[in-house]
Amino acid sequence: MLNNICVLGIDNRMNYVADTFTNKGYTVTRELNINNPAVVILPPPSKKEVIKGKISDIAKSGSVVYGGAIDVELFDDCRKLGIKIYDYLKWDEVTEANAILTAKGIVREAQDEASLNKFNDCLVLGYGFCGRAIARELNGKSRVCVMVRRPEIGDLIISDGFSYIDMRDINKDLSKFQFVFNTVPELVINKKFVHRLSRNVRIFDIASAPGGTDFDYCKENRVFARLSLGIPGKTFPKEAGEIIANAIIKHINSV
């Protein structure tokens, strides 16, 4: 088992990744040493530029690489050189834990932007890890309705205590919703969708860039819409760092 940990990246989240490994007795460095095989941990999104010029060094050292949202170029280069590389953001335990942090962060944003309360109606688009976490975070703070394409999810949504709208119902009036939270990574809040909403609605989009909202159209029509990305690392760096580190430790001990 490799006990030497090389943590790259200078944001606070990666500082907490390094601290977690140090507190658990691992030897941690912040620079790559080709003479000392290590577990190399990259910050998300993990791109080739992060370790530009160091990929061959990693191959020589026999190190193992862990990254988050690894781009295709880096992944392919590592595989060609025989480097074992794993994407921790694809692990369900990390995804689910980050979803909870994301939900807390985006609901906090909504509360800071406007007076979100139990009299508000909130619409959540999507019911994956993040959609479900946002609905649960809103529960008790407002009335929650979830919109999805697959009607078979409707029973699950209702059993979780929320109302449900079929996304394919394009004639449904959505003007009662003061807040909309999108988690769907494609253009779902388009021009027609915006016209179904109140002019005073506030849209918060956490889907992968460029998001699932026509932000230009919203701006032209003075409809509030915000894309909020990377909430765990920005808002909860300590918790996010500990999630990554603990998941990698578990993986190291299982392979």
Side-chain angles (χ1 to χ4, degrees):
M1 183 179 71
L2 295 173
N3 290 310
N4 300 309
I5 309 297
C6 173
V7 180
L8 300 180
I10 58 174
D11 62 58
N12 283 337
R13 170 176 46 190
M14 300 313 291
N15 292 336
Y16 285 113
V17 169
D19 288 347
T20 301
F21 274 99
T22 298
N23 293 337
K24 291 183 179 291
Y26 289 83
T27 300
V28 178
T29 62
R30 303 306 296 269
E31 294 184 1
L32 184 65
N33 180 354
I34 64 171
N35 298 314
N36 198 6
V39 171
V40 180
I41 304 175
L42 308 178
S46 300
K47 300 182 179 181
K48 187 175 180 178
E49 302 88 77
V50 179
I51 52 175
K52 187 176 182 180
K54 297 179 181 179
I55 294 180
S56 58
D57 290 341
I58 291 173
K60 292 175 186 177
S61 72
S63 297
V64 178
V65 175
Y66 290 88
I70 301 169
D71 71 2
V72 174
E73 188 177 10
L74 174 58
F75 190 87
D76 288 345
D77 284 354
C78 285
R79 285 300 174 91
K80 288 175 184 177
L81 291 170
I83 300 170
K84 292 182 179 179
I85 182 167
Y86 304 95
D87 194 326
Y88 50 76
L89 288 186
K90 290 186 176 180
W91 299 341
D92 282 355
E93 62 187 293
V94 175
T95 302
E96 188 168 6
N98 275 336
I100 293 171
L101 297 182
T102 298
K104 290 181 181 297
I106 199 65
V107 171
R108 182 186 296 178
E109 279 191 33
Q111 290 174 318
D112 290 343
E113 183 63 38
S115 181
L116 190 156
N117 56 59
K118 64 182 180 180
F119 300 108
N120 292 139
D121 286 285
C122 295
L123 180 65
V124 178
L125 276 66
Y127 208 58
F129 283 122
C130 284
R132 196 172 191 182
I134 291 172
R136 288 175 172 175
E137 184 66 23
L138 288 168
N139 194 24
K141 298 181 177 72
S142 66
R143 293 185 291 266
V144 182
C145 180
V146 179
M147 176 180 275
V148 294
R149 286 196 184 94
R150 294 186 292 156
E152 63 270 23
I153 301 179
D155 289 341
L156 172 62
I157 294 169
I158 292 170
S159 69
D160 284 344
F162 312 117
S163 57
Y164 153 73
I165 296 177
D166 192 325
M167 196 177 292
R168 297 169 299 178
D169 183 358
I170 60 174
N171 296 315
K172 182 74 174 179
D173 180 17
L174 306 176
S175 61
K176 75 172 184 176
F177 295 106
Q178 292 91 14
F179 295 87
V180 174
F181 299 87
N182 179 57
T183 70
V184 181
E186 59 184 84
L187 186 58
V188 287
I189 305 180
N190 53 26
K191 295 177 183 179
K192 290 183 179 179
F193 194 102
V194 172
H195 280 290
R196 296 159 64 192
L197 298 168
S198 163
R199 299 300 92 184
N200 297 318
V201 71
R202 289 173 171 81
I203 301 169
F204 295 87
D205 197 324
I206 64 159
S208 302
T213 301
D214 189 333
F215 291 101
D216 290 337
Y217 188 75
C218 287
K219 185 176 181 180
E220 290 171 8
N221 289 273
R222 298 183 179 180
V223 174
F224 179 97
R226 175 187 295 166
L227 179 63
S228 297
L229 302 176
I231 289 175
K234 294 175 182 177
T235 309
F236 304 100
K238 182 177 186 294
E239 293 86 344
E242 290 173 347
I243 288 167
I244 292 171
N246 287 326
I248 292 174
I249 290 170
K250 182 178 177 181
H251 191 268
I252 291 171
N253 292 329
S254 67
V255 297

